[in-house]
Amino acid sequence: MNPVQHPVVRIQQLGDYVDQTVTLRGWLYHKTGKGKLNFLQIRDGSGICQAVVLRGNVSDETFEQVKALTQESSLAVTGVVKAESRAPGVPGGFELDVRAVTVYQIADPYPITPKEHGVEFLMQNRHLWLRSSRQWAALRVRAVIVRAIRDWLDSHGFLNVDTPILTPAAAEGTTTLFSIDYHGEPAYLAQTGQLYNEANIFAFGKVYCFGPTFRAEKSKTRRHLQEFWMVEPEIAFCDLEGLMEIEEQFVSYIVQRCLADCGPELAILERDTTHLQRVSPPFPRIHYDEAVAMINRAAAAGELVPGYPDPVPAIEWGDDFGSPHETYLAAQFDKPVFVHHYPTQVKAFYMEPEADRPEVCRSVDLLAPEGYGEIIGGSERMSDPEKLIAAIARHQLPQSVYEWYIDLRRYGSVVHSGFGLGVERTVAWICGLDHVRETIAFPRTLTNLRP
RNA sequence: UCCUCGGUAGCUCAAUCGGCAGAGCAUCCGGCUGUUAACCGGACGGUUGUUGGUUCGAGUCCAACCCGGGGAGCCA
């Protein structure tokens, strides 16, 4: 029996071929032998299918070949698709009653077994780990999230205008940047496209940039990468309140799209989706003042940070929140929560101070539930050129470097706002992963540059 | 940078008071017609992160260093 005589199908489509003879091409994910009966779990990138090889249904030569297959051997199997409730797989419920097998390669002993492994080992073998079902599922959800991001923005009047990755200076003074040699001149890998986005809205009205950003922070936590992807929408004629409305529509769409399109993937990840199903506008909004009061009430009562053995630390008005504060705040709500009007002094120079209360600014962070932390940071931008020049001076930044940015306020300034959404944290939240390293194919963490 | 936990077979781990370094998985051989991380029998597998020290004797105790995990700060 020649495999090429039958349609070559992907496992995802198997349900359309019940009782037909087809060929699958892929890799052996797992094998259990029962004497004259062998069960092969075959991956092809689109799903996992159980193939049943019974001695007598295939040639003796083929049967011996199957017994010799190792994990991750590449092969093609031809047989009849059967609806079979006992069959595991993605999608489950179908199996292939095998009649012929073509082995492309017998794989060397595969280092990643179905048993447990440590993080260090898995990261050293990331190029192979990607094949494991949980990693496969998370990266497929990531792809859907990216698609949802673009679909929502593209269909709501935003133009994708990407911004440079090689930049001459820091957008926000404090963060550590990766520096490179730009033909003898120091340059840096971008940590945000925001300033360029602000130029772009004066040409296009509503824009977004979407790409990798770089932070050379010595951060070694489940929420941090050195290289991560961020989508940054920026909107002309939009104030803080308008911004929050856009953010909650946008995030809700992303979540609902994943629930609709990623059922099998979320099942593999064993994600409890009850929290996610509640994600719809409006999201709760709390003022920084109120957040400080909530934290200090919890601190006084000796409450613990959810998920940690430590008590909620008290905070003084004017300080930025630490991770334990954000974790505590987010846990008080069952939806993402907006925290707005942070103190001006802890935020970036370009954020618009509140007119009748300049010690707070028109900024807003969105905190994800279940301990996933800040997934969005955004603000209304300063639109008056004189106030912007003063803010640049107050932050001891060189005005000459920002002349082009000040120009944006000299030639038709308007109220405008924007935000940045971190893709990896969003993926971690929606997938219920405990570390962002599993949300991107080749994560760059503090200690992982290779593979 | 700081705090904290760890490093023993390819992988995941065990080793009592300082006294012969041991299991499971993977791999190889044999058995099994419904397996779901199958199961049963056998084989193979070790410079205990590195260097130095204490001791009759160190995986175990001491010191320094290297590597990794989690967290703080900072951030998305």
Side-chain angles (χ1 to χ4, degrees), chain A residues 74-139:
Chain A
S74 46
L75 74 169
V77 289
T78 299
V80 183
V81 180
K82 296 278 178 66
E84 168 58 74
S85 60
R86 289 175 294 184
V90 185
F94 301 104
E95 66 182 20
L96 198 71
D97 189 5
V98 176
R99 300 307 157 111
V101 176
T102 302
V103 176
Y104 297 125
Q105 192 209 25
I106 298 288
D108 286 352
Y110 191 66
I112 301 180
T113 70
K115 295 279 183 176
E116 289 171 33
H117 297 286
V119 169
E120 184 179 10
F121 175 78
L122 289 170
M123 286 302 292
Q124 283 167 357
N125 290 283
R126 183 60 177 168
H127 54 298
L128 304 177
W129 190 24
L130 294 172
R131 306 179 188 191
S132 300
S133 61
R134 285 182 60 88
Q135 303 309 307
W136 174 85
L139 292 175

Side-chain angles (χ1 to χ4, degrees), chain A residues 285-301 303 312-322 325-326 328-330 332-333 337-343 345-346 357 359-360 367:
Chain A
R285 291 154 162 71
I286 57 173
H287 193 285
Y288 173 85
D289 293 346
E290 187 186 346
V292 167
M294 285 175 68
I295 288 166
N296 283 333
R297 274 197 300 275
E303 278 189 59
V312 176
I315 186 167
E316 234 174 273
W317 196 99
D319 287 345
D320 204 356
F321 299 136
H325 300 130
E326 285 185 356
Y328 170 78
L329 282 175
Q332 307 314 303
F333 302 89
V337 56
F338 288 117
V339 182
H340 54 85
H341 285 96
Y342 282 81
Q345 61 176 15
V346 302
R357 201 185 157 192
E359 72 275 19
V360 294
L367 308 181

Side-chain angles (χ1 to χ4, degrees), chain A residues 215-395:
Chain A
R215 305 275 168 96
E217 295 160 357
K218 302 284 187 203
S219 296
K220 203 171 55 163
T221 82
R222 72 185 74 207
R223 299 180 306 279
H224 289 88
L225 294 171
Q226 304 289 291
E227 174 184 313
F228 66 96
W229 283 64
M230 188 157 67
V231 58
E232 295 179 273
E234 190 78 22
I235 311 104
F237 304 105
C238 178
D239 64 9
L240 179 66
E241 289 69 30
L243 187 70
M244 286 191 270
E245 283 167 26
I246 289 170
E247 289 184 19
E248 66 195 1
Q249 295 288 340
F250 180 57
V251 169
S252 298
Y253 176 81
I254 294 167
V255 170
Q256 296 308 321
R257 183 78 180 271
C258 289
L259 290 175
D261 293 358
C262 299
E265 287 82 2
L266 294 172
I268 287 171
L269 294 164
E270 299 172 285
R271 178 62 162 134
D272 178 354
T273 58
T274 51
H275 276 82
L276 297 177
Q277 280 160 14
R278 281 197 286 269
V279 177
S280 60
F283 296 166
R285 291 154 162 71
I286 57 173
H287 193 285
Y288 173 85
D289 293 346
E290 187 186 346
V292 167
M294 285 175 68
I295 288 166
N296 283 333
R297 274 197 300 275
E303 278 189 59
L304 299 183
V305 180
Y308 295 85
D310 311 310
V312 176
I315 186 167
E316 234 174 273
W317 196 99
D319 287 345
D320 204 356
F321 299 136
S323 296
H325 300 130
E326 285 185 356
T327 303
Y328 170 78
L329 282 175
Q332 307 314 303
F333 302 89
D334 63 357
K335 281 186 187 183
V337 56
F338 288 117
V339 182
H340 54 85
H341 285 96
Y342 282 81
T344 306
Q345 61 176 15
V346 302
K347 287 292 180 180
F349 71 90
Y350 50 72
M351 296 189 181
E352 179 73 30
E354 190 60 52
D356 55 4
R357 201 185 157 192
E359 72 275 19
V360 294
C361 62
R362 297 176 63 74
S363 59
V364 60
D365 286 354
L366 184 67
L367 308 181
E370 302 171 77
Y372 286 95
E374 183 184 345
I375 54 170
I376 288 182
S379 73
E380 187 176 314
R381 320 303 191 188
M382 210 173 262
S383 49
D384 179 77
E386 296 312 316
K387 278 159 70 178
L388 182 60
I389 289 166
I392 287 169
R394 200 160 50 246
H395 282 78

Side-chain angles (χ1 to χ4, degrees), chain A residues 156-192:
Chain A
H156 284 77
F158 289 78
L159 190 74
N160 178 207
V161 183
D162 285 321
T163 54
I165 286 171
L166 300 179
T167 58
E172 304 167 20
T174 54
T175 316
T176 319
L177 302 175
F178 285 102
S179 59
I180 56 161
D181 172 36
Y182 194 82
H183 307 297
E185 180 183 354
Y188 305 90
L189 299 183
Q191 58 168 346
T192 171

